[in-house]
Amino acid sequence: MIIDCRCNDPKFDPNTYASVEDDGQRSVMSLKTLFSRALYSSLKYGVLASGKRLSAREAGAAVLGRTAARGYYSAGRPGACGAAHVRVVDLRSDTVTKPGPAMRQAMAEAEVGDDVMGEDPTVNELQKLAADIFGMEAALFVPSGTMSNLIAVMVHCRERGNEMIVGDLSHLHIYEQGGSAQLAGVHATTVTTLPDGTFDLEQLESKIRHGYPDPHYPRSRLICVENTHNIQGGRVLPLAFLQEVRALADRYGLSVHMDGARVMNAAVAQGVPLSTILQHTHTGLGSPVGTMLAGPQAFISGAVRCRKALGGGMRQAGVLAAAGKLSLQDMIGRLEDDHRNAKTFALALRECDPSLFAVDMAAVETNILRFRLEQPSLTPKEFCARMAAVSEEEEAVLGQGIQVLMYPHFGNSVRAVWHLGITAEDTQLAIQKMQFVASQHLKENVRAQ
């Protein structure tokens, strides 16, 4: 059994990283749901399996890779013990979920056509469904979330040398290779990302350029927000904050783009329809092997052109759109299970004896959990290596081996992500392994004294 709740971002090292037209064109968001990343990972990366049992050092290497501090997908794939008595609880990311039988059947039976010509009926149905759910005029199926973000920047900031304002810990700013500058010629200025994923509105206002067309400065065009916030541990942006950001943008004639990788999680956590969140941004949603980018019809018309220029026009894409339809229609309600399981694990960390972990329970809002290690003698890297390793002593104590795969995160922390396929039972297995690792660490400290 493979259970994956690992960090979706194994890669952050803060020391490495020290944007208007009429109202109809404003504010866009690309949302990458867990099904988007899940199917993408299952198709592109798969899961490695071998009969070799990993030592702590080997497990750490398998989980962390050589460049874990900065690499998004360079962290390597997990080595799963092939023995029947070893359970793999992969707590890395919601990108590793796989399509179930119903989704595979929908994909196999999908009616297809040429989407570049606008003739794929399943893609058209998905785009109509997404636009309706988001309360937007139109939506566009795009191959990836990174491309979707880039297209939004290109359409809003149509002139090279325009500027967007982004959070300094945003996915768009940190993990998308600077594509907005590299490919679109758009400059980014940053505001400080607060622990809850928001930023100070006074600081945001201070970053807006004035005096256009003064030749000395770029022209402010776009404000970007992220919901839920990835690096900050799945934090849900308050509706009041989004409302204030939109009001500020309107005041200065800027657009608002939301990178909503997990906006469905935000809607479930807040108990509101998706349109209640997106009314402040005019945005879109993610789906398997890609995202839905949504907004006004004029915006989407521009997005179609940008998608084509970036090589994102997929012809018979209905086989993928069919999976997206199923996820939107049938899978949103189950996200609540992920949130509940994440809280269960967080409570177990807080109650662990010996006390090794620090958890802010108020920050555990959705399917992402970030926690810190309080003892210098056990680093996040070593903790993750121990969670991934299986020993004979563990099998004797627990009755089986349990590999729990996680990634170290920034700020002396570890991150885990819950998703489809991780049950309450799987979460209990992860708790058992965590408690075993904590007890072993205590014994080692006692022997060393």
Side-chain angles (χ1 to χ4, degrees), residues 205-355:
E205 187 171 14
S206 75
K207 295 288 184 172
I208 298 174
R209 308 275 186 170
H210 303 286
Y212 178 84
D214 188 312
H216 295 89
Y217 309 111
R219 184 180 184 180
S220 297
R221 285 283 200 177
L222 180 64
I223 299 171
C224 299
V225 295
E226 183 177 338
N227 193 21
T228 63
H229 200 283
N230 193 336
I231 286 179
Q232 297 292 39
R235 298 306 300 269
V236 178
L237 300 187
L239 295 174
F241 168 76
L242 294 175
Q243 185 175 10
E244 290 179 296
V245 170
R246 180 56 187 271
L248 183 64
D250 287 345
R251 190 183 316 150
Y252 292 101
L254 305 185
S255 300
V256 178
H257 169 71
M258 180 181 287
D259 176 0
R262 299 174 181 85
V263 74
M264 288 296 189
N265 293 90
V268 169
Q270 292 177 318
V272 299
L274 204 55
S275 57
T276 300
I277 296 173
L278 306 188
Q279 65 179 326
H280 305 299
T281 55
H282 301 116
T283 90
L285 162 80
S287 66
V289 195
T291 64
M292 297 306 300
L293 182 63
Q297 184 62 61
F299 174 88
I300 295 300
S301 296
V304 170
R305 289 185 57 81
C306 292
R307 185 186 68 172
K308 180 64 174 173
L310 294 173
M314 300 183 293
R315 300 290 178 170
Q316 286 68 31
V319 291
L320 303 178
K325 285 177 58 182
L326 188 67
S327 68
L328 288 181
Q329 293 169 333
D330 298 343
M331 306 300 290
I332 297 173
R334 62 150 310 280
L335 296 176
E336 197 169 353
D337 296 338
D338 300 336
H339 301 178
R340 182 166 49 251
N341 288 333
K343 286 183 173 66
T344 297
F345 191 84
L347 285 169
L349 288 170
R350 192 176 66 174
E351 296 169 1
C352 179
D353 186 19
S355 178

Side-chain angles (χ1 to χ4, degrees), residues 9 12 77 100 112 163 169 179 209 233 241 257 318 338 359 363 380 403:
D9 294 86
F12 183 73
R77 286 167 281 183
V112 301
E163 183 173 72
L169 298 183
R209 308 275 186 170
F241 168 76
H257 169 71
D338 300 336
V359 184
Q403 283 189 307

Side-chain angles (χ1 to χ4, degrees), residues 10-62:
K11 66 268 187 186
F12 183 73
D13 181 352
N15 296 319
T16 308
Y17 310 94
S19 120
V20 181
E21 302 301 328
D22 58 29
D23 285 346
Q25 291 269 65
R26 299 186 184 187
S27 316
V28 178
M29 163 178 122
S30 66
L31 315 172
K32 296 158 280 188
T33 63
L34 73 93
F35 299 101
S36 161
R37 294 173 167 181
L39 185 57
Y40 178 81
S41 276
S42 66
L43 294 178
K44 184 172 182 181
Y45 295 101
V47 178
L48 285 184
S50 70
K52 178 182 178 182
R53 176 168 301 155
L54 303 180
S55 67
R57 180 183 297 274
E58 292 169 331

